[in-house]
């Protein structure tokens, strides 16, 4: 007996799993799920994968610290209510990037399609978006030299430079992941009789 479920979140989580309803010895109906999709592996040696994860962690820490120090500097822009906008947006971007970064650092050598998307595809999209946010924050802070009369330029340029460092770190994350080769491995399990394979159509 096939079992279907139409929640997008459910399909995203169980993509390429084959599921079917089975009756347990006690008479209860249970859902049995087996992953029948391809596996994905970085075409790297074990030491190369470890080094790449270390680089990801270092770059993410650099992006986070750059954003933190930029947002807490004592300057004319940060002292104004409007100055909190680039700081808040930058903080949200770093937090948003943390999710795929977590999956990239904890992903096993051979990944299911869900982990592959979360640790690779989503990491690229969010790191590039974070880079753009940091760049916009850098320009917003630096522009204070012109729209805040009499403000010293050095503190604002320092803050802007910190945002640029954070953005550059995010860009390096994107570049590293984009240049990483992957290979596709065949499924290890076959779809059981009457089982339904869950598919997800959309972006992660």
């Amino acid at each position: 007996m096939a079992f279907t479920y139409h929640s997008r979140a459910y399909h995203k989580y169980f993509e390429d799993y084959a599921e079917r309803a089975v009756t347990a010895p006690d008479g209860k109906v249970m859902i049995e799920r087996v992953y029948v999709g391809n596996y994905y592996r970085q075409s790297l040696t074990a030491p190369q994968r470890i080094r790449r994860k270390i680089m990801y962690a270092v770059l993410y820490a650099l992006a986070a610290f750059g954003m933190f120090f930029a947002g807490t500097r004592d300057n004319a822009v940060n002292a104004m209510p409007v100055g909190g906008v680039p700081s808040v947006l930058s903080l949200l971007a770093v937090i948003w990037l943390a999710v795929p970064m977590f999956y990239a650092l904890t992903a096993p050598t051979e990944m299911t399609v869900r982990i592959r998307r979360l640790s690779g595809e989503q990491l690229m999209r969010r790191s590039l978006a974070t880079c753009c946010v940091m760049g916009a924050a850098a320009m917003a802070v630096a522009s204070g030299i012109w729209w805040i009369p009499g403000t010293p330029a050095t503190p604002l340029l320092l803050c802007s430079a910190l945002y640029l460092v954070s953005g550059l770190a995010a860009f390096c994350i994107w570049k590293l992941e984009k240049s990483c080769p992957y290979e596709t491995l065949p499924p290890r399990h076959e779809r059981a009789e009457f089982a339904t394979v869950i598919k997800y159509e959309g972006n992660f």
Side-chain angles (χ1 to χ4, degrees), residues 93-109:
V94 169
I95 294 174
W96 191 52
L97 180 59
V99 175
M101 178 57 62
F102 169 80
Y103 282 103
L105 296 178
T106 60
T109 301

Side-chain angles (χ1 to χ4, degrees), residues 17 26 31-32 35 37 63 70 83 95 131 135 179 195:
Y17 276 80
D26 60 2
I31 304 303
E32 177 186 77
Y35 184 73
I95 294 174
C131 175
S179 64

Side-chain angles (χ1 to χ4, degrees), residues 147-200:
W147 61 268
I148 305 177
T151 184
T154 301
L156 294 184
L157 291 177
L158 174 61
C159 183
S160 180
L162 288 169
Y163 277 125
L164 288 176
V165 168
S166 185
L168 179 60
F171 177 80
C172 289
I173 292 172
W174 172 81
K175 187 68 175 178
L176 273 174
E177 183 58 33
K178 184 175 177 60
S179 64
C180 184
Y182 282 84
E183 57 184 305
T184 303
L185 306 176
R188 300 174 186 169
H189 306 285
E190 295 184 358
R191 181 176 67 89
E193 188 178 11
F194 303 122
T196 300
V197 179
I198 302 170
K199 292 296 181 182
Y200 175 74

Side-chain angles (χ1 to χ4, degrees), residues 9-69:
Y10 184 94
H11 281 228
K12 180 189 294 187
Y13 191 88
F14 290 111
E15 183 179 8
D16 279 356
Y17 276 80
E19 66 176 17
R20 63 176 179 171
V22 296
T23 303
D26 60 2
K28 292 183 178 179
V29 177
M30 303 175 62
I31 304 303
E32 177 186 77
R33 298 185 187 90
V34 178
Y35 184 73
V36 296
N38 293 323
Y39 286 83
Y40 303 87
R41 179 174 63 196
Q42 294 176 337
S43 301
L44 305 170
T45 64
Q48 287 174 329
R49 282 192 290 270
I50 293 173
R51 286 196 297 269
R52 181 173 290 266
K53 289 187 178 185
I54 292 173
M55 285 190 289
Y56 280 155
V58 170
L59 288 168
Y60 180 79
L62 184 60
F65 281 118
M67 175 277 305
F68 174 78
F69 283 112

Side-chain angles (χ1 to χ4, degrees), residues 5 27 77 98 156:
Y5 196 92
V77 172
L156 294 184

Side-chain angles (χ1 to χ4, degrees), residues 52-132:
R52 181 173 290 266
K53 289 187 178 185
I54 292 173
M55 285 190 289
Y56 280 155
V58 170
L59 288 168
Y60 180 79
L62 184 60
F65 281 118
M67 175 277 305
F68 174 78
F69 283 112
T72 56
R73 294 308 86 194
D74 183 15
N75 59 55
V77 172
N78 285 345
M80 301 176 66
V82 69
V85 174
S87 179
V88 170
L89 292 178
S90 299
L91 175 61
L92 293 176
V94 169
I95 294 174
W96 191 52
L97 180 59
V99 175
M101 178 57 62
F102 169 80
Y103 282 103
L105 296 178
T106 60
T109 301
E110 297 182 359
M111 299 170 278
T112 63
V113 63
R114 174 175 174 268
I115 300 301
R116 166 70 181 95
R117 288 187 172 187
L118 287 170
S119 65
E121 296 174 12
Q122 193 176 89
L123 181 65
M124 282 197 298
R125 284 197 294 270
R126 294 194 179 189
S127 58
L128 190 58
T130 299
C131 175
C132 294

